[in-house]
Amino acid sequence: MVSPDRDRAGGPSGLDGPEAPSEPGPAHASPSETAPPRSDQPESAPLHGGPPEAAPPGSGRPESGPLRLHTDTGVCAGAGQCVRAAPDLFDQGDDGLVVLLRADVPERDRECALTAADWCPSGAVSVHEAS
């Protein structure tokens, strides 16, 4: 009877001899060892799949004063990050695209509006100083 750890030739199960790989190659490496780094995702993107961190102050965001929102459904990808960041300002239509609930941002929702623009993966949400 053949032992479960030995093949029929009497050697250890699996490859041995000239066909046996001397080092693990791509077939034996984990995907993280063989996959090239993704250039479309910044290193600071979270690994848990949540939205990226909001941009820090001084990064081109309006620092003070009233804000006005603008959305572009032509570039909206329907990711819903705007709704997640500012549910009082945004919604999604039946087609998944952004619906702007109010263009003029109340002071209490200022940070949420800026975060929604930062988190939008397609750039469909923008914030401007109200004039």
Side-chain angles (χ1 to χ4, degrees):
M1 173 178 243
V2 175
S3 165
D5 333 325
R6 300 194 121 0
D7 65 14
R8 293 192 183 274
S13 294
L15 294 176
D16 56 1
E19 296 106 326
S22 59
E23 294 181 26
H28 301 290
S30 72
S32 64
E33 293 172 332
T34 60
R38 288 182 51 182
S39 61
D40 64 332
Q41 190 171 22
E43 287 185 27
S44 62
L47 299 177
H48 57 78
E53 296 299 318
S59 61
R61 294 169 53 163
E63 295 283 332
S64 63
L67 298 178
R68 186 161 183 84
L69 289 166
H70 175 75
T71 57
D72 184 348
T73 55
V75 298
C76 178
Q81 296 302 314
C82 56
V83 178
R84 183 174 179 190
D88 292 339
L89 302 174
F90 301 96
D91 200 355
Q92 287 179 281
D94 292 337
D95 56 2
L97 300 181
V98 63
V99 173
L100 183 59
L101 299 177
R102 59 186 318 168
D104 293 317
V105 180
E107 185 60 35
R108 72 177 183 277
D109 291 328
R110 178 184 185 78
E111 193 58 35
C112 292
L114 293 168
T115 300
D118 290 340
W119 286 0
C120 180
S122 66
V125 175
S126 57
V127 183
H128 308 278
E129 293 179 3
S131 39

